[in-house]
Amino acid sequence: MELNALMERRARMNQKFGKELFGAVEIFEDVVNYDIEDELKLYHLQTAIEKADGENQEQLVKDFYSLYTSMKPKENPLERIYLWSEGNMPRNTEYTDNSDYKRKHNPDFRPYMYALTVDESVQPKGAVVVVAGGDHGRCVIPEGYQTCLDLNALGYQCFLLLNRVNHNPWSNEESGADTARAIRIIRANAEQYRISPERVGFAGFSNGGLTGDNCIRYFSGTQTVKDHFPDYIPDELDAYYGAPDAYCCIYGPRFKMDLMTPEKEDVVDYDRVVYPPTFIAVGREDFAMNNLYHYLNELVEHNVPVEVHTFAGVPHGIAGFKILSGGIEQYPNFNLWLPLADAFMQDAWKNR
């Protein structure tokens, strides 16, 4: 199904079944704290609902609702690490109503992350902030949670970030500010996490990839949160650098034209922006390929160290899908992005 048609179908579903589908968003995003088998059943039910019609669809919604209302958190859940103190979260988006359930997060959403760490017997290679695509929800299971597990296995401390989602409905600056804040929290606690504060990477998928780009565009170099949010009151965390030391952009290269004003080209101010070493992975059958060429040329023109991998036969949005299919990789070639990104980050950090 084409992207626009899929988005229209989901919008109609939100209006018809909004409350039932919306209710499980937090469970998807808190995947670390629920039984994974129940999470996967819920995921597949929601996928089936999107494909079904009529009475069959309504029955699936009932099954979905019955399952998620029966799910209980684990006895010793991981604690959320909230990013901002009460009353001092930088904002510039007027978002007050979600009664039509068009958004997966209500206006009172507070950004947070989970620390998924390696065993004490393992010396970490560094840290990676991981952001799933779309407006999160069930995408967090394969792109977020499974990616964290895969990077843990490669020796990285991982931080599963649930930020204010880029354009759903928040701004570039807000999504980037949340990411920068997460990175600052990690750097401030580098000793606790047993890493160098100069070895903090970012891996984002689709819209999550754009989120990483927003972090770099607005919070790298000497840029501060207060530069973009004049009412913000800086605290001790703002003393730490907010952009990543390596950026893994997974099927999420920036669009050439501005998303909010499509008739206007999206121009980056490289007099202020300091782009880190960048790793790009995208499938050859992915619509994100359309964004790759101008983005790559721009990085090369500005002397950014960059590595690009394209994968034959691979469509959009399939990272981490082995968790959904009992460990079977539908596109095993794409899973190579993980060891390739590992090698890339270690090379970028070899003198840190």
Side-chain angles (χ1 to χ4, degrees), residues 158-171:
C158 289
F159 297 83
L160 181 58
L161 175 61
L162 283 304
N163 62 296
R164 286 172 289 177
V165 185
N166 180 58
H167 296 300
N168 283 299
W170 293 286
S171 67

Side-chain angles (χ1 to χ4, degrees), residues 14 25 47 51 79 122 131 141 147 180 197 202 217 240 260 274 281 289 304-306 326 336 342 347:
N14 285 343
V25 169
T47 304
K51 297 178 180 179
E79 290 188 15
V122 176
V131 178
I141 297 176
T147 297
F202 175 92
R217 290 179 64 174
Y240 295 90
M260 300 304 288
V274 179
M289 283 291 296
V304 176
V306 60
L336 292 171
D342 175 27
D347 181 72

Side-chain angles (χ1 to χ4, degrees), residues 28-37 39-40 74 78 114 116 130-132 138-152 158 160-162 205 319-320 323:
F28 283 134
E29 296 179 348
D30 291 347
V31 55
V32 297
N33 287 332
Y34 289 86
D35 180 81
I36 189 59
E37 293 305 318
E39 290 272 0
L40 295 175
K74 295 176 181 177
L78 280 182
Y114 285 115
L116 281 74
V130 177
V131 178
R138 74 173 189 254
C139 292
V140 172
I141 297 176
E143 293 178 338
Y145 178 62
Q146 182 60 55
T147 297
C148 286
L149 297 182
D150 289 336
L151 289 171
N152 282 161
C158 289
L160 181 58
L161 175 61
L162 283 304
F205 302 81
I323 196 173

Side-chain angles (χ1 to χ4, degrees), residues 102-122:
K102 286 186 177 179
R103 310 297 184 186
K104 285 195 169 67
H105 300 97
N106 280 326
D108 62 354
F109 172 73
R110 288 184 63 200
Y112 62 94
M113 64 180 175
Y114 285 115
L116 281 74
T117 55
V118 298
D119 188 82
E120 288 292 325
S121 64
V122 176

Side-chain angles (χ1 to χ4, degrees), residues 277-294:
T278 297
F279 175 93
I280 302 170
V282 61
R284 298 279 310 161
E285 302 301 319
D286 191 331
F287 59 80
M289 283 291 296
N290 296 329
N291 303 340
L292 174 62
Y293 300 107
H294 79 89

Side-chain angles (χ1 to χ4, degrees), residues 58-122:
E58 293 186 13
Q59 182 58 54
L60 287 169
V61 169
K62 291 178 182 177
D63 294 342
F64 180 93
Y65 183 79
S66 175
L67 175 57
Y68 95 73
T69 54
S70 72
M71 292 171 63
K72 305 297 181 186
K74 295 176 181 177
E75 289 187 4
N76 297 302
L78 280 182
E79 290 188 15
R80 291 180 174 184
I81 303 171
Y82 285 101
L83 305 184
W84 306 100
S85 59
E86 290 279 3
N88 195 33
M89 181 169 68
R91 64 180 78 232
N92 57 20
T93 297
E94 289 294 328
Y95 176 40
T96 59
D97 179 56
N98 193 34
S99 57
D100 56 5
Y101 303 105
K102 286 186 177 179
R103 310 297 184 186
K104 285 195 169 67
H105 300 97
N106 280 326
D108 62 354
F109 172 73
R110 288 184 63 200
Y112 62 94
M113 64 180 175
Y114 285 115
L116 281 74
T117 55
V118 298
D119 188 82
E120 288 292 325
S121 64
V122 176

